[in-house]
Every structure is written in C-alpha cells, then in structure tokens.
Amino acid sequence: HFFCTPFMILRKEPHLIATFDKDFYGEELRVIVVGYIRDMNYKFANLEELIQRIKLDIQIGDRELQENDTLASYAKHEFFY
C-alpha cells in the first residue's frame, strides 16, 4: 500500500484530508511527502472510476496516518510551526 524509497523521483499530488476553518486559496502551504499510494500514470476509463479511486486513496492514506506512529508524529513536526 504505502511505499517510498529515498531514490524515487515522483510527481507529487498531495491530497489534504482535513477540515479547515478558513479558505487558504493563494496561501503558502507546507507539506511533507512521506510516501505514495499509487502510480500517477494510471489511465482511468472514466471520471467515475477516478472518483472511486480517489475515495479509496483517502481511506488508505487516512488509515496509514492513524496506524503508523512515525507518520502520525509529523502532524506535530516543527516544520509546520
């Protein structure tokens, strides 16, 4: 499921799985990419297939962040403050 090596060069498309109190359009965001869920080169047959896969990606990412203490520790990382 969640896989990364230090030598990978990937196109990164972060998905923010959070609720925000305000609109941050145009603001600077800080993100730490800690892995990836799937190959971004996959061609979906239609929009519905893409939507379903994004929903699955969210479930996978959310589960990994909750179950992996190392990944969960990034939420309080000094980089974000």
Coordinates of all heavy atoms in Angstrom, one line a residue:
H1 N 0.8 -1.2 0.0 CA 0.0 0.0 0.0 C 0.9 1.3 0.0 O 1.0 2.0 -1.0 CB -0.9 0.0 1.2 CG -2.1 -0.9 1.1 ND1 -3.4 -0.5 1.1 CD2 -2.1 -2.3 0.9 CE1 -4.2 -1.5 0.9 NE2 -3.4 -2.6 0.8
F2 N 1.5 1.6 1.1 CA 2.2 2.9 1.2 C 3.7 2.6 1.1 O 4.2 1.8 1.8 CB 1.9 3.4 2.7 CG 1.8 4.9 2.7 CD1 0.8 5.5 2.2 CD2 2.8 5.6 3.4 CE1 0.7 6.9 2.3 CE2 2.7 7.0 3.5 CZ 1.6 7.6 2.9
F3 N 4.3 3.2 0.1 CA 5.7 2.8 -0.3 C 6.5 4.0 -0.7 O 6.0 4.8 -1.4 CB 5.6 1.8 -1.4 CG 6.9 1.3 -1.9 CD1 7.7 0.5 -1.2 CD2 7.4 1.8 -3.1 CE1 9.0 0.1 -1.7 CE2 8.6 1.4 -3.6 CZ 9.4 0.6 -2.9
C4 N 7.7 4.0 -0.2 CA 8.6 5.1 -0.7 C 10.1 4.7 -0.4 O 10.4 4.0 0.5 CB 8.3 6.4 0.1 SG 9.2 7.8 -0.5
T5 N 10.9 5.1 -1.4 CA 12.4 4.9 -1.2 C 13.0 6.2 -1.4 O 12.5 7.1 -2.0 CB 13.0 3.9 -2.2 OG1 13.0 4.5 -3.5 CG2 12.2 2.6 -2.2
P6 N 14.2 6.5 -0.8 CA 14.8 7.8 -0.9 C 15.3 8.1 -2.3 O 15.6 9.3 -2.6 CB 16.1 7.7 0.0 CG 16.1 6.3 0.6 CD 14.9 5.5 0.1
F7 N 15.3 7.2 -3.2 CA 15.8 7.4 -4.6 C 14.7 7.6 -5.6 O 15.0 7.8 -6.8 CB 16.7 6.3 -5.0 CG 17.8 6.0 -4.0 CD1 17.8 5.0 -3.2 CD2 18.9 7.0 -3.9 CE1 18.8 4.8 -2.2 CE2 19.9 6.8 -3.0 CZ 19.9 5.7 -2.2
M8 N 13.5 7.6 -5.2 CA 12.4 7.8 -6.1 C 12.2 9.3 -6.5 O 12.3 10.1 -5.7 CB 11.1 7.3 -5.5 CG 11.1 5.8 -5.3 SD 9.5 5.3 -4.6 CE 9.2 3.8 -5.4
I9 N 11.9 9.5 -7.8 CA 11.5 10.8 -8.2 C 10.1 10.7 -8.7 O 9.8 9.9 -9.7 CB 12.5 11.3 -9.4 CG1 13.9 11.4 -8.9 CG2 12.0 12.6 -9.9 CD1 14.9 11.7 -9.9
L10 N 9.2 11.3 -8.0 CA 7.8 11.1 -8.3 C 7.1 12.5 -8.6 O 7.5 13.5 -8.0 CB 7.1 10.5 -7.1 CG 7.7 9.2 -6.6 CD1 7.0 8.8 -5.3 CD2 7.4 8.1 -7.6
R11 N 6.1 12.4 -9.3 CA 5.2 13.6 -9.4 C 4.3 13.5 -8.1 O 3.7 12.5 -7.8 CB 4.3 13.5 -10.6 CG 3.4 14.7 -10.8 CD 2.7 14.6 -12.1 NE 1.3 14.5 -11.7 CZ 0.3 14.0 -12.5 NH1 0.6 13.5 -13.7 NH2 -0.9 14.0 -12.1
K12 N 4.3 14.6 -7.4 CA 3.6 14.6 -6.1 C 2.3 15.4 -6.2 O 2.3 16.5 -6.7 CB 4.5 15.2 -5.0 CG 5.7 14.4 -4.7 CD 6.9 15.2 -4.3 CE 8.1 14.5 -4.2 NZ 8.8 14.2 -5.5
E13 N 1.2 14.8 -5.8 CA -0.1 15.4 -5.9 C -0.7 15.1 -4.5 O -1.4 14.2 -4.3 CB -0.9 14.7 -7.0 CG -2.3 15.4 -7.1 CD -3.0 14.8 -8.3 OE1 -2.6 14.9 -9.4 OE2 -4.1 14.1 -8.0
P14 N -0.4 16.0 -3.5 CA -0.9 15.8 -2.2 C -2.4 16.0 -2.1 O -3.0 16.8 -2.8 CB -0.2 16.8 -1.3 CG 0.2 17.9 -2.3 CD 0.4 17.2 -3.6
H15 N -3.0 15.2 -1.3 CA -4.5 15.3 -1.1 C -4.6 15.7 0.4 O -4.2 14.9 1.3 CB -5.2 14.0 -1.4 CG -6.7 14.1 -1.3 ND1 -7.5 14.3 -2.4 CD2 -7.5 14.2 -0.2 CE1 -8.7 14.4 -2.0 NE2 -8.8 14.3 -0.7
L16 N -5.2 16.8 0.7 CA -5.4 17.3 2.1 C -6.6 16.6 2.7 O -7.7 16.8 2.2 CB -5.5 18.8 2.1 CG -4.3 19.5 1.4 CD1 -4.6 21.0 1.5 CD2 -3.0 19.2 2.0
I17 N -6.4 15.8 3.7 CA -7.5 15.1 4.3 C -7.8 15.8 5.7 O -7.5 15.2 6.7 CB -7.2 13.6 4.6 CG1 -6.7 13.0 3.3 CG2 -8.4 12.8 5.1 CD1 -6.2 11.6 3.5
A18 N -8.4 16.9 5.6 CA -8.6 17.7 6.8 C -9.7 18.7 6.6 O -10.0 19.0 5.4 CB -7.3 18.4 7.3
T19 N -10.3 19.2 7.7 CA -11.3 20.2 7.6 C -10.6 21.5 8.0 O -10.0 21.5 9.1 CB -12.5 19.9 8.5 OG1 -13.0 18.7 8.1 CG2 -13.6 21.0 8.3
F20 N -10.8 22.6 7.3 CA -10.1 23.8 7.6 C -11.2 24.9 8.0 O -12.2 24.9 7.4 CB -9.3 24.3 6.4 CG -8.2 23.4 6.1 CD1 -8.3 22.4 5.1 CD2 -6.9 23.4 6.7 CE1 -7.3 21.5 4.8 CE2 -5.9 22.5 6.4 CZ -6.1 21.6 5.5
D21 N -10.8 25.8 8.9 CA -11.8 26.8 9.4 C -11.9 27.9 8.4 O -12.8 28.7 8.4 CB -11.3 27.3 10.7 CG -11.4 26.3 11.8 OD1 -12.2 25.4 11.7 OD2 -10.7 26.4 12.8
K22 N -10.9 28.1 7.5 CA -10.9 29.2 6.6 C -10.4 28.8 5.2 O -9.7 27.8 5.1 CB -10.1 30.4 7.1 CG -8.6 30.2 7.2 CD -7.8 31.4 7.6 CE -6.4 31.2 7.4 NZ -5.6 32.4 7.2
D23 N -10.7 29.6 4.2 CA -10.2 29.4 2.9 C -8.7 29.8 2.8 O -8.3 30.8 3.3 CB -11.0 30.3 1.9 CG -10.6 30.1 0.5 OD1 -9.7 29.3 0.2 OD2 -11.2 30.8 -0.4
F24 N -7.9 28.9 2.3 CA -6.4 29.2 2.2 C -6.0 29.3 0.8 O -4.8 29.3 0.5 CB -5.6 28.1 2.9 CG -5.9 26.7 2.5 CD1 -5.3 26.1 1.4 CD2 -6.8 25.9 3.2 CE1 -5.6 24.9 1.0 CE2 -7.1 24.6 2.8 CZ -6.5 24.1 1.7
Y25 N -6.9 29.6 -0.1 CA -6.6 29.8 -1.5 C -5.5 31.0 -1.6 O -5.7 32.0 -1.1 CB -7.8 30.2 -2.3 CG -7.5 30.3 -3.8 CD1 -7.5 29.1 -4.6 CD2 -7.4 31.5 -4.4 CE1 -7.2 29.2 -6.0 CE2 -7.1 31.6 -5.8 CZ -7.0 30.5 -6.5 OH -6.8 30.6 -7.9
G26 N -4.4 30.8 -2.4 CA -3.4 31.8 -2.5 C -2.4 31.8 -1.4 O -1.4 32.6 -1.5
E27 N -2.6 31.0 -0.4 CA -1.7 31.0 0.8 C -0.6 30.0 0.5 O -0.7 29.1 -0.3 CB -2.4 30.6 2.1 CG -3.5 31.6 2.5 CD -3.0 32.9 2.9 OE1 -1.9 33.0 3.4 OE2 -3.7 33.9 2.7
E28 N 0.5 30.1 1.2 CA 1.6 29.2 1.2 C 1.3 28.0 2.1 O 0.8 28.2 3.2 CB 2.9 29.8 1.7 CG 4.1 28.8 1.7 CD 5.4 29.5 2.2 OE1 5.6 30.6 1.8 OE2 6.0 28.8 3.0
L29 N 1.4 26.8 1.5 CA 1.2 25.6 2.3 C 2.5 24.8 2.5 O 3.3 24.8 1.6 CB 0.2 24.7 1.6 CG -1.2 25.2 1.4 CD1 -2.0 24.1 0.6 CD2 -1.9 25.5 2.7
R30 N 2.6 24.2 3.7 CA 3.8 23.4 3.9 C 3.3 21.9 4.0 O 2.4 21.6 4.7 CB 4.5 23.8 5.2 CG 5.1 25.1 5.2 CD 5.8 25.4 6.5 NE 6.6 26.6 6.4 CZ 7.7 26.8 7.0 NH1 8.1 25.9 7.9 NH2 8.4 27.9 6.9
V31 N 3.9 21.1 3.2 CA 3.6 19.7 3.2 C 4.8 18.9 3.2 O 5.9 19.3 2.8 CB 2.8 19.3 1.9 CG1 1.3 19.6 2.0 CG2 3.4 19.9 0.6
I32 N 4.7 17.7 3.9 CA 5.8 16.7 3.9 C 5.3 15.5 3.2 O 4.2 14.9 3.6 CB 6.2 16.4 5.3 CG1 6.8 17.6 6.0 CG2 7.2 15.2 5.3 CD1 7.1 17.3 7.5
V33 N 5.9 15.1 2.1 CA 5.5 13.9 1.4 C 6.2 12.8 2.0 O 7.5 12.7 2.0 CB 5.8 14.0 -0.1 CG1 5.5 12.8 -0.9 CG2 5.1 15.2 -0.7
V34 N 5.5 11.8 2.6 CA 6.1 10.7 3.3 C 6.0 9.4 2.6 O 6.4 8.4 3.1 CB 5.5 10.6 4.7 CG1 5.9 11.8 5.6 CG2 4.0 10.4 4.7
G35 N 5.3 9.4 1.4 CA 5.2 8.2 0.7 C 4.1 8.4 -0.4 O 3.7 9.5 -0.7
Y36 N 3.8 7.3 -1.1 CA 2.7 7.4 -2.1 C 1.8 6.2 -2.0 O 2.2 5.2 -1.5 CB 3.3 7.6 -3.5 CG 3.9 6.4 -4.2 CD1 3.1 5.6 -5.0 CD2 5.2 6.0 -3.9 CE1 3.7 4.5 -5.6 CE2 5.8 4.9 -4.6 CZ 5.0 4.2 -5.4 OH 5.5 3.1 -6.0
I37 N 0.7 6.3 -2.6 CA -0.3 5.3 -2.5 C -0.4 4.5 -3.9 O -0.5 3.3 -3.9 CB -1.7 5.8 -2.1 CG1 -1.6 6.4 -0.7 CG2 -2.8 4.8 -2.2 CD1 -2.8 7.2 -0.2
R38 N -0.3 5.2 -5.0 CA -0.5 4.6 -6.3 C 0.3 5.3 -7.3 O 0.6 6.5 -7.2 CB -1.9 4.4 -6.7 CG -2.6 5.7 -7.0 CD -4.0 5.5 -7.5 NE -4.8 6.7 -7.2 CZ -4.9 7.7 -8.1 NH1 -4.2 7.7 -9.2 NH2 -5.6 8.8 -7.8
D39 N 0.6 4.7 -8.4 CA 1.2 5.3 -9.6 C 0.3 6.3 -10.2 O -0.9 6.0 -10.5 CB 1.5 4.1 -10.6 CG 2.3 4.6 -11.8 OD1 2.7 5.8 -11.9 OD2 2.6 3.8 -12.7
M40 N 0.8 7.5 -10.4 CA 0.0 8.6 -11.0 C -0.2 8.4 -12.5 O -0.9 9.2 -13.1 CB 0.7 9.9 -10.7 CG 0.8 10.3 -9.2 SD -0.8 10.4 -8.5 CE -1.5 11.8 -9.3
N41 N 0.5 7.5 -13.2 CA 0.4 7.3 -14.6 C -0.7 6.5 -15.0 O -1.0 6.3 -16.2 CB 1.7 6.8 -15.2 CG 2.9 7.8 -15.0 OD1 2.7 9.0 -15.1 ND2 4.0 7.2 -14.6
Y42 N -1.5 5.9 -14.1 CA -2.6 5.0 -14.4 C -3.7 5.8 -15.2 O -4.0 6.9 -14.8 CB -3.2 4.4 -13.2 CG -4.4 3.5 -13.4 CD1 -4.1 2.2 -13.8 CD2 -5.7 3.9 -13.3 CE1 -5.1 1.3 -14.1 CE2 -6.7 3.1 -13.6 CZ -6.5 1.8 -14.0 OH -7.5 0.9 -14.2
K43 N -4.2 5.3 -16.3 CA -5.2 5.9 -17.1 C -6.6 5.3 -16.7 O -6.8 4.1 -16.8 CB -5.0 5.7 -18.5 CG -3.6 6.2 -19.0 CD -3.5 7.7 -18.9 CE -2.2 8.1 -19.5 NZ -1.7 9.3 -19.0
F44 N -7.5 6.1 -16.1 CA -8.8 5.7 -15.7 C -9.7 5.7 -16.9 O -9.6 6.5 -17.8 CB -9.3 6.6 -14.6 CG -8.5 6.5 -13.4 CD1 -7.5 7.4 -13.1 CD2 -8.8 5.5 -12.4 CE1 -6.8 7.4 -12.0 CE2 -8.0 5.4 -11.3 CZ -7.0 6.3 -11.0
A45 N -10.6 4.7 -16.9 CA -11.6 4.5 -18.0 C -12.6 5.7 -18.1 O -13.0 6.1 -19.2 CB -12.3 3.2 -17.9
N46 N -12.9 6.3 -17.0 CA -13.9 7.3 -16.9 C -13.8 8.1 -15.6 O -13.0 7.7 -14.7 CB -15.3 6.8 -17.1 CG -15.7 5.7 -16.1 OD1 -15.5 5.9 -14.9 ND2 -16.1 4.6 -16.6
L47 N -14.5 9.2 -15.5 CA -14.5 10.1 -14.4 C -14.9 9.3 -13.1 O -14.3 9.5 -12.0 CB -15.3 11.3 -14.6 CG -15.4 12.3 -13.4 CD1 -14.0 12.8 -13.1 CD2 -16.3 13.5 -13.8
E48 N -15.9 8.5 -13.2 CA -16.4 7.8 -12.0 C -15.4 6.8 -11.5 O -15.2 6.7 -10.2 CB -17.7 7.0 -12.4 CG -18.4 6.3 -11.2 CD -18.8 7.3 -10.1 OE1 -19.1 8.4 -10.3 OE2 -18.7 6.8 -8.9
E49 N -14.6 6.2 -12.3 CA -13.6 5.3 -11.9 C -12.5 6.1 -11.1 O -12.0 5.7 -10.1 CB -12.9 4.6 -13.1 CG -11.9 3.5 -12.6 CD -11.2 2.8 -13.8 OE1 -11.8 2.9 -15.0 OE2 -10.2 2.2 -13.6
L50 N -12.2 7.3 -11.6 CA -11.2 8.2 -10.9 C -11.7 8.6 -9.6 O -11.0 8.5 -8.6 CB -10.9 9.4 -11.8 CG -10.1 10.5 -11.1 CD1 -8.7 10.0 -10.7 CD2 -10.0 11.7 -12.0
I51 N -13.0 9.0 -9.5 CA -13.6 9.4 -8.2 C -13.6 8.3 -7.2 O -13.2 8.5 -6.1 CB -15.0 9.9 -8.5 CG1 -15.0 11.2 -9.3 CG2 -15.8 10.1 -7.2 CD1 -16.4 11.7 -9.8
Q52 N -13.9 7.1 -7.6 CA -13.9 6.0 -6.7 C -12.5 5.7 -6.2 O -12.3 5.3 -5.1 CB -14.5 4.7 -7.4 CG -16.0 4.8 -7.6 CD -16.8 5.2 -6.4 OE1 -16.6 4.6 -5.3 NE2 -17.6 6.2 -6.5
R53 N -11.5 5.8 -7.1 CA -10.1 5.5 -6.7 C -9.6 6.6 -5.7 O -8.9 6.3 -4.8 CB -9.2 5.5 -7.9 CG -7.8 5.1 -7.6 CD -7.7 3.8 -6.8 NE -6.6 3.9 -5.9 CZ -5.8 2.9 -5.6 NH1 -6.0 1.7 -6.3 NH2 -4.9 3.0 -4.8
I54 N -10.0 7.9 -6.0 CA -9.6 8.9 -5.0 C -10.2 8.7 -3.6 O -9.5 8.8 -2.6 CB -10.0 10.3 -5.6 CG1 -9.2 10.7 -6.8 CG2 -9.9 11.4 -4.5 CD1 -9.6 11.9 -7.5
K55 N -11.4 8.2 -3.6 CA -12.1 7.9 -2.3 C -11.3 6.7 -1.6 O -11.1 6.8 -0.4 CB -13.5 7.5 -2.5 CG -14.4 8.7 -2.9 CD -15.8 8.2 -3.1 CE -16.7 9.4 -3.5 NZ -18.1 9.0 -3.7
L56 N -10.9 5.7 -2.4 CA -10.1 4.6 -1.8 C -8.7 5.2 -1.3 O -8.3 4.8 -0.2 CB -9.9 3.5 -2.8 CG -9.1 2.3 -2.4 CD1 -9.7 1.7 -1.1 CD2 -8.9 1.3 -3.5
D57 N -8.1 6.0 -2.1 CA -6.8 6.6 -1.7 C -6.9 7.3 -0.4 O -6.0 7.2 0.5 CB -6.3 7.6 -2.8 CG -5.9 6.9 -4.1 OD1 -5.8 5.7 -4.2 OD2 -5.7 7.7 -5.1
I58 N -8.0 8.1 -0.2 CA -8.2 8.8 1.0 C -8.3 7.8 2.2 O -7.7 8.0 3.3 CB -9.5 9.7 0.9 CG1 -9.3 10.8 -0.1 CG2 -9.9 10.2 2.3 CD1 -10.5 11.6 -0.4
Q59 N -9.1 6.7 2.0 CA -9.2 5.7 3.1 C -7.8 5.1 3.4 O -7.5 5.0 4.6 CB -10.2 4.6 2.7 CG -11.6 5.1 2.6 CD -12.5 4.0 2.0 OE1 -12.0 2.9 1.6 NE2 -13.8 4.2 1.9
I60 N -7.1 4.8 2.4 CA -5.8 4.2 2.6 C -4.8 5.2 3.4 O -4.2 4.8 4.3 CB -5.1 3.7 1.3 CG1 -5.9 2.6 0.7 CG2 -3.7 3.4 1.5 CD1 -5.5 2.2 -0.7
G61 N -4.8 6.4 2.9 CA -3.9 7.4 3.5 C -4.3 7.7 4.9 O -3.5 7.8 5.8
D62 N -5.6 7.9 5.2 CA -6.1 8.1 6.5 C -5.8 7.0 7.5 O -5.3 7.2 8.6 CB -7.6 8.4 6.5 CG -8.1 9.0 7.7 OD1 -7.5 9.9 8.3 OD2 -9.2 8.6 8.2
R63 N -6.0 5.8 7.0 CA -5.6 4.6 7.8 C -4.2 4.6 8.2 O -3.8 4.3 9.3 CB -6.1 3.3 7.2 CG -5.8 2.1 8.0 CD -6.3 0.8 7.3 NE -5.5 0.6 6.1 CZ -6.1 0.5 4.9 NH1 -7.4 0.5 4.7 NH2 -5.3 0.3 3.8
E64 N -3.3 4.8 7.2 CA -1.9 4.8 7.4 C -1.5 5.8 8.4 O -0.6 5.6 9.3 CB -1.1 5.0 6.1 CG -1.2 3.8 5.2 CD -0.4 2.6 5.7 OE1 0.6 2.7 6.4 OE2 -0.8 1.4 5.4
L65 N -2.0 7.0 8.3 CA -1.7 8.1 9.2 C -2.1 7.8 10.6 O -1.5 8.3 11.6 CB -2.3 9.4 8.7 CG -1.6 10.0 7.4 CD1 -2.4 11.2 6.9 CD2 -0.2 10.4 7.7
Q66 N -3.2 7.1 10.8 CA -3.7 6.8 12.1 C -3.0 5.6 12.7 O -2.7 5.6 13.9 CB -5.2 6.4 12.1 CG -6.1 7.6 11.8 CD -7.5 7.3 11.7 OE1 -8.0 6.3 12.3 NE2 -8.3 8.0 11.0
E67 N -2.6 4.6 11.9 CA -2.0 3.4 12.5 C -0.5 3.4 12.5 O 0.1 2.6 13.2 CB -2.4 2.2 11.6 CG -3.9 1.9 11.7 CD -4.4 0.8 10.8 OE1 -3.5 0.2 10.0 OE2 -5.6 0.5 10.8
N68 N 0.2 4.3 11.9 CA 1.6 4.4 11.8 C 2.1 5.5 12.7 O 2.0 6.7 12.3 CB 2.1 4.5 10.4 CG 3.6 4.5 10.2 OD1 4.3 5.1 11.0 ND2 4.1 3.7 9.3
D69 N 2.7 5.2 13.9 CA 3.1 6.3 14.8 C 4.1 7.2 14.2 O 4.1 8.4 14.5 CB 3.7 5.6 16.1 CG 2.7 4.9 16.9 OD1 1.5 5.2 16.7 OD2 3.1 4.0 17.7
T70 N 5.0 6.7 13.4 CA 6.0 7.6 12.7 C 5.4 8.6 11.8 O 5.7 9.8 11.9 CB 7.1 6.8 11.9 OG1 7.7 5.9 12.8 CG2 8.1 7.7 11.3
L71 N 4.4 8.2 11.0 CA 3.7 9.1 10.2 C 2.9 10.1 11.0 O 2.8 11.3 10.7 CB 2.9 8.4 9.1 CG 3.6 7.5 8.1 CD1 2.6 6.8 7.2 CD2 4.6 8.3 7.3
A72 N 2.2 9.6 12.0 CA 1.3 10.4 12.8 C 2.1 11.5 13.5 O 1.6 12.6 13.8 CB 0.6 9.6 13.9
S73 N 3.4 11.2 13.8 CA 4.2 12.2 14.5 C 4.5 13.5 13.7 O 4.8 14.5 14.2 CB 5.6 11.6 14.9 OG 6.4 11.4 13.8
Y74 N 4.4 13.3 12.4 CA 4.6 14.5 11.5 C 3.6 15.6 11.7 O 3.8 16.8 11.4 CB 4.6 14.1 10.0 CG 5.9 13.4 9.6 CD1 5.9 12.1 9.3 CD2 7.1 14.1 9.6 CE1 7.0 11.4 8.9 CE2 8.2 13.4 9.2 CZ 8.2 12.1 8.9 OH 9.4 11.5 8.5
A75 N 2.4 15.3 12.2 CA 1.3 16.3 12.5 C 1.8 17.3 13.4 O 1.4 18.5 13.3 CB 0.1 15.6 13.0
K76 N 2.7 17.0 14.3 CA 3.2 18.0 15.3 C 4.6 18.4 15.0 O 5.3 19.0 15.8 CB 3.2 17.4 16.7 CG 1.8 16.9 17.1 CD 1.0 18.0 17.7 CE -0.2 17.4 18.3 NZ -1.4 18.0 17.9
H77 N 5.1 18.2 13.8 CA 6.5 18.5 13.4 C 6.8 20.0 13.4 O 5.9 20.7 13.0 CB 6.8 17.8 12.1 CG 8.3 17.8 11.8 ND1 9.0 18.8 11.3 CD2 9.2 16.8 11.9 CE1 10.2 18.5 11.1 NE2 10.4 17.3 11.5
E78 N 7.9 20.4 13.8 CA 8.3 21.8 13.9 C 8.3 22.5 12.5 O 8.1 23.7 12.5 CB 9.7 21.9 14.5 CG 10.8 21.3 13.7 CD 12.2 21.4 14.3 OE1 12.3 21.1 15.5 OE2 13.1 21.7 13.6
F79 N 8.4 21.7 11.5 CA 8.4 22.2 10.1 C 7.1 23.1 9.9 O 7.1 24.0 9.1 CB 8.5 21.1 9.1 CG 8.3 21.5 7.7 CD1 9.3 22.1 7.0 CD2 7.1 21.2 7.0 CE1 9.1 22.4 5.6 CE2 6.9 21.5 5.7 CZ 7.9 22.2 5.0
F80 N 6.0 22.7 10.5 CA 4.7 23.3 10.3 C 4.5 24.5 11.2 O 3.5 25.2 11.0 CB 3.6 22.3 10.5 CG 3.6 21.2 9.5 CD1 3.9 19.9 9.9 CD2 3.4 21.4 8.2 CE1 3.9 18.8 9.0 CE2 3.5 20.4 7.3 CZ 3.7 19.1 7.7
Y81 N 5.4 24.8 12.1 CA 5.2 25.9 13.0 C 6.2 27.0 12.9 O 7.2 26.9 12.3 CB 5.2 25.4 14.5 CG 4.1 24.4 14.7 CD1 4.3 23.0 14.6 CD2 2.8 24.8 14.9 CE1 3.3 22.1 14.8 CE2 1.8 23.9 15.0 CZ 2.0 22.5 15.0 OH 1.0 21.6 15.2

